[in-house]
Amino acid sequence: MCMASLTLTNVKKVYDNQVTAVHDFNLEIADKEFIVLVGPSGCGKSTTLRMIAGLEDISSGELKIGDRVVNNVEPKDRDIAMVFQSYALYPHMTVYENMAFALKLRKVPKEEIDRRVKEAAEILDITQYLQRKPKALSGGQRQRVAIGRAIVREPQVFLMDEPLSNLDAKLRNQMRAEIIKLRQRIDTTFIYVTHDQTEAMTLGDRIVIMKDGYIQQVGTPQEVFDHPINTFVAGFIGTPQMNFFNAKLEKSGDTYHAICGGASIQLPQQVQEKLKANGAVSQDIVLGIRPEHIVFVSDDQKANTLTGTVDVSEMMGSEIYIHVEGNMGGANTSNIVMRVPTSDLPTEFHGGVPHGTKLRFEFPGHLVHLFDSETERNLI
Ligand SMILES: Nc1ncnc2c1ncn2[C@@H]1O[C@H](COP(=O)(O)OP(=O)(O)OP(=O)(O)O)[C@@H](O)[C@H]1O
Ligand SMILES: [Mg+2]
């Protein structure tokens, strides 16, 4: 029994034009794990995937599948199937023939092909389209066929490069749920590329966040959300994006405070201990807080709160995104985004909070993120 774990060690890709698309990529992927590579356009996601598939040479470093080094193994001998963004179906073949094609080439017996195609069609709910040509299918149905074509090969490793990005938002959400189901039904290692952080968060056992050819952070969705390693990851994961402010970390005696917009924010014991262990000193920081973590304060007299004026609000249905011009101390104003469950607001605000509304709020100490203002790395 082959184990489809993968190990990438110091993997690097330099293209012929001297562009280094991937620097020193190190990752161990467990058998049957669902890994998502995510990051902005050009960060090296597809290049990494194509090296795993064998469609691009590895410039240096080592790729293992199970215990076998496969740097020089032909793509067809890697026991990998890849689904691309463009489905690339054969237009003159029926859905059945499209799905059977790769197996025919491999001289798989007819009955076996039939069994696999019908089983895959069942999983993907496309049985009723098996005799149609691709042009008589919707985008979502075509994408299912493309996935079906990969499933029938029963690969050890399933690679997907932005398979949903050609679909409209509604279909994409639907197909995302389908991929979760698919994953439950076929026991394979998945490596999935996307630039959509929602897809990454909902699909991945672990997420690999990349930027400029470098891995920034690897972790479970919860880990990267709760403990982003730097401001890039913090801003990339979560919608709307985390708010960032120039602030100060102040150490007085043995106690640390964050000073942001004139408010002194008490930091919890755990954070105090970590700062102390890391030898943190009074310094400039970037303070981050997610839009859903800002808390409204009704008591006008409460100390260490901040105030602001509503600019616009976006009614999203069950939630409202409120854009606030905040008075962040002195002459500094700052655009702050807050995300509030509609049901938490008085009924008169359910259609949106009017421009000019005054708000008082605070940043709870256990929910703020503290980053070094120079290195942009998390201080905790
Ligand atoms: N064949 C190639 N020759 C030269 N440079 C390339 C080639 N393919 C990609 N690159 C460059 O390598 C870098 C990484 O590209 P890659 O396609 O891996 O990015 P990506 O993360 O998949 O981006 P996207 O989200 O836009 O698909 C980019 O700077 C790109 O211009
Ligand atoms: Mg790409």
Side-chain angles (χ1 to χ4, degrees):
M1 180 61 200
C2 253
M3 291 283 285
S5 59
L6 282 91
T7 314
L8 293 97
T9 312
N10 305 126
V11 167
K12 181 174 178 178
K13 176 68 187 181
V14 186
Y15 282 109
D16 292 341
N17 60 358
Q18 302 310 313
V19 171
T20 304
V22 177
H23 305 259
D24 199 30
F25 192 102
N26 289 286
L27 186 66
E28 283 189 40
I29 301 172
D31 185 35
K32 304 194 194 335
E33 193 173 20
F34 198 121
I35 286 281
V36 179
L37 307 183
V38 68
S41 185
C43 72
K45 306 179 294 291
S46 296
T47 301
T48 305
L49 206 67
R50 293 171 61 81
M51 286 191 285
I52 295 171
L55 302 173
E56 288 294 346
D57 288 338
I58 296 172
S59 306
S60 64
E62 185 183 80
L63 169 65
K64 274 186 179 172
I65 301 179
D67 293 330
R68 181 165 76 132
V69 177
V70 296
N71 286 46
N72 298 315
V73 174
E74 288 291 306
K76 65 177 175 41
D77 299 325
R78 291 191 186 192
D79 205 1
I80 275 177
M82 185 149 164
V83 178
F84 298 91
Q85 173 179 356
S86 62
Y87 333 117
L89 300 175
Y90 304 111
H92 57 286
M93 292 184 192
T94 63
V95 167
Y96 186 101
E97 289 161 348
N98 263 284
M99 287 168 68
F101 188 68
L103 301 181
K104 261 192 192 160
L105 284 185
R106 292 172 178 212
K107 314 242 182 312
V108 176
K110 233 181 168 149
E111 308 74 59
E112 175 69 9
I113 295 181
D114 195 58
R115 182 188 70 76
R116 290 200 203 174
V117 169
K118 285 184 175 154
E119 197 178 292
E122 196 65 33
I123 291 175
L124 294 162
D125 202 15
I126 49 174
T127 307
Q128 66 271 42
Y129 310 121
L130 282 173
Q131 296 315 320
R132 285 201 201 167
K133 298 268 175 67
K135 69 170 186 306
L137 298 176
S138 71
Q141 290 160 349
R142 282 180 212 171
Q143 191 53 278
R144 279 165 211 247
V145 177
I147 293 172
R149 212 167 41 171
I151 292 178
V152 295
R153 295 173 50 190
E154 301 181 349
Q156 283 196 68
V157 184
F158 222 119
L159 306 180
M160 297 183 152
D161 193 349
E162 312 232 15
L164 309 185
S165 61
N166 276 345
L167 306 177
D168 66 43
K170 185 162 167 238
L171 207 50
R172 203 156 60 217
N173 288 343
Q174 218 177 314
M175 280 301 291
R176 203 169 63 208
E178 297 287 330
I179 287 174
I180 295 172
K181 278 195 257 171
L182 176 68
R183 191 273 165 96
Q184 287 160 357
R185 297 190 59 170
I186 62 171
D187 246 353
T188 311
T189 309
F190 278 83
I191 308 175
Y192 187 103
V193 161
T194 180
H195 60 262
D196 177 354
Q197 59 96 23
T198 311
E199 247 170 70
M201 294 292 275
T202 49
L203 291 173
D205 293 331
R206 283 192 301 157
I207 303 178
V208 178
I209 298 147
M210 298 177 69
K211 182 193 172 203
D212 300 337
Y214 289 96
I215 293 183
Q216 302 289 305
Q217 188 170 6
V218 181
T220 64
Q222 196 71 49
E223 280 164 2
V224 299
F225 186 81
D226 290 343
H227 304 290
I229 199 160
N230 57 26
T231 52
F232 174 78
V233 173
F236 192 77
I237 299 291
T239 41
Q241 181 184 295
M242 185 185 282
N243 295 289
F244 295 109
F245 308 100
N246 291 323
K248 283 195 165 19
L249 181 69
E250 276 190 9
K251 186 179 186 202
S252 52
D254 251 355
T255 313
Y256 295 93
H257 281 88
I259 310 289
C260 184
S264 172
I265 300 167
Q266 284 197 22
L267 302 168
Q269 197 54 38
Q270 237 185 330
V271 173
Q272 298 281 350
E273 278 161 20
K274 286 204 175 135
L275 287 169
K276 202 165 155 187
N278 295 346
V281 290
S282 296
Q283 66 169 103
D284 287 343
I285 57 168
V286 172
L287 181 139
I289 183 151
R290 296 199 183 276
E292 60 273 31
H293 290 158
I294 298 173
V295 173
F296 292 121
V297 174
S298 52
D299 175 3
D300 278 353
Q301 305 305 315
K302 190 170 180 193
N304 292 313
T305 53
L306 297 159
T307 56
T309 314
V310 174
D311 185 7
V312 290
S313 69
E314 300 172 89
M315 175 61 189
M316 309 300 288
S318 59
E319 293 181 329
I320 296 182
Y321 299 167
I322 309 174
H323 296 249
V324 174
E325 280 292 322
N327 178 0
M328 303 309 288
N332 287 332
T333 61
S334 208
N335 194 316
I336 309 165
V337 180
M338 307 181 185
R339 178 176 153 190
V340 191
T342 310
S343 54
D344 282 8
L345 291 170
T347 16
E348 76 240 46
F349 289 164
H350 285 194
V353 185
H355 175 85
T357 306
K358 298 254 185 292
L359 295 175
R360 181 174 290 275
F361 50 91
E362 64 187 352
F363 301 159
H366 65 289
L367 293 170
V368 297
H369 300 260
L370 313 175
F371 302 95
D372 186 293
S373 61
E374 279 194 16
T375 64
E376 301 189 342
R377 288 183 69 88
N378 200 321
L379 287 171
I380 305 302

